[in-house]
Amino acid sequence: MERTLFIFEGERAEKNYFKSLERAFFSDEESRLLVTFQNDLYELYAQISEDEDLDIFELVKELNPIANNDRDIKSLRRDQVGQIYLFFDLEPNDQNFLGENLLNMLRRFNNETEHGKLFISYPMVEAIRDIGDLNEYLERSVDLSDCRGAIYKKLSVERSNQAYQDARKINRQGWQYLIEANLRKANLLVSGENRLDLVSDQSTIAQAQLVNNSLRDPLPVLSAFPIFLVDYFGLDILHTEK
């Protein structure tokens, strides 16, 4: 059976939210494997830059000892993986951050059936709970100085709707709300139009977050998971019931 591999930067928060959307939208028959890279996007960039032929699946197995303790991952061959999706934080305060590097990564990882498809959270995974009213969210941003882990995590809790703080409590309707909010915001960033259209090229979102190769400050908040859901299922996900 062909597998779909989901690669996350972190071990806990990302997987918790992903398991929540799994319950809401995926069937039990689909074969999905979740694994953690255990490092940030720019460490991945450094590894890939040294060897352009390096396969992300083999790299994860090499760098993450936990992956090799997973029987399903350890025994898996690359030709058994049909699709790969990656989820990473922007990490704007990382010393190795460059707008050019971000765009290069998104251009490389732009096809789930080849190298993999990369989705970025701006500024980090906690963006998914940094939402209250939909219209207000379209304007929600964060100062780059507040994008550091502990600071933004606290801020995203203080100004969020409690419904999205606990991943386990987000139901299908909650996810559909998050999808609409983030899809409208992505289109505003890319085209200036508040509309529900698929933005399939993730590099166009990143380009909209940059000005002269530097990040916008304040930075518009945007979550990766709702964007991924529309990319994976299409716009019908907003209207269908499980």
Side-chain angles (χ1 to χ4, degrees):
M1 179 185 294
E2 193 173 80
R3 308 292 188 91
T4 300
L5 186 65
F6 296 91
I7 300 173
F8 307 101
E9 175 179 330
E11 184 67 34
R12 186 176 177 183
E14 290 92 335
K15 284 188 176 180
N16 285 342
Y17 278 106
F18 190 84
K19 288 176 181 178
S20 172
L21 67 84
E22 270 191 308
R23 291 191 295 271
F25 297 107
F26 284 85
S27 71
D28 293 336
E29 289 75 28
E30 296 177 73
S31 183
R32 298 177 301 281
L33 291 172
L34 279 57
V35 65
T36 306
F37 182 62
Q38 289 196 325
N39 217 315
D40 67 21
L41 182 66
Y42 308 105
E43 174 59 28
L44 174 58
Y45 179 78
Q47 296 284 339
I48 295 296
S49 298
E50 293 175 2
D51 183 357
E52 291 190 358
D53 295 324
L54 194 63
D55 184 81
I56 183 65
F57 172 67
E58 298 299 336
L59 180 61
V60 169
K61 291 179 68 175
E62 175 187 338
L63 296 182
N64 185 355
I66 296 177
N68 285 313
N69 291 332
D70 185 318
R71 185 171 58 185
D72 291 334
I73 297 292
K74 188 175 183 179
S75 62
L76 193 66
R77 302 190 313 271
R78 181 62 179 90
D79 62 2
Q80 295 175 305
V81 179
Q83 298 174 307
I84 298 177
Y85 294 94
L86 305 95
F87 301 88
F88 280 79
D89 294 347
L90 175 66
E91 302 285 4
N93 291 300
D94 188 291
Q95 62 180 359
N96 295 314
F97 170 82
L98 286 174
E100 182 180 354
N101 293 349
L102 173 65
L103 293 174
N104 284 339
M105 290 295 284
L106 285 163
R107 288 165 183 152
R108 176 183 174 86
F109 295 103
N110 68 350
N111 190 312
E112 64 274 15
T113 62
E114 296 177 0
H115 295 299
K117 189 159 189 177
L118 172 63
F119 292 84
I120 301 292
S121 289
Y122 302 87
M124 58 189 68
V125 65
E126 285 76 15
I128 198 166
R129 69 188 184 199
D130 192 4
I131 181 172
D133 175 77
L134 188 150
N135 290 323
E136 186 276 335
Y137 179 71
L138 297 179
E139 302 295 329
R140 176 149 290 185
S141 61
V142 57
D143 293 339
L144 289 181
S145 60
D146 290 335
C147 288
R148 302 182 188 278
I151 297 174
Y152 182 67
K153 289 176 183 179
K154 183 174 183 290
L155 178 64
S156 64
V157 168
E158 290 174 345
R159 63 184 189 177
S160 73
N161 185 321
Q162 280 194 331
Y164 305 107
Q165 291 185 22
D166 187 342
R168 297 168 297 180
K169 296 180 180 179
I170 305 177
N171 59 18
R172 186 181 181 91
Q173 291 71 36
W175 277 107
Q176 288 172 324
Y177 181 87
L178 291 172
I179 291 167
E180 179 177 354
N182 282 276
L183 198 57
R184 288 187 182 280
K185 188 162 186 177
N187 278 283
L188 273 173
L189 288 169
V190 171
S191 67
E193 297 182 21
N194 180 349
R195 63 189 188 199
L196 286 172
D197 282 346
L198 173 63
V199 183
S200 59
D201 185 352
Q202 298 306 298
S203 64
T204 61
I205 296 176
Q207 287 171 334
Q209 297 278 34
L210 297 168
V211 178
N212 297 325
N213 211 37
S214 296
L215 285 170
R216 295 169 61 173
D217 191 4
L219 179 76
V221 171
L222 193 71
S223 178
F225 288 131
I227 301 297
F228 154 75
L229 283 167
V230 178
D231 187 89
Y232 192 92
F233 290 105
L235 288 169
D236 286 345
I237 196 173
L238 288 167
H239 312 292
T240 56
E241 296 183 3
K242 193 170 182 179

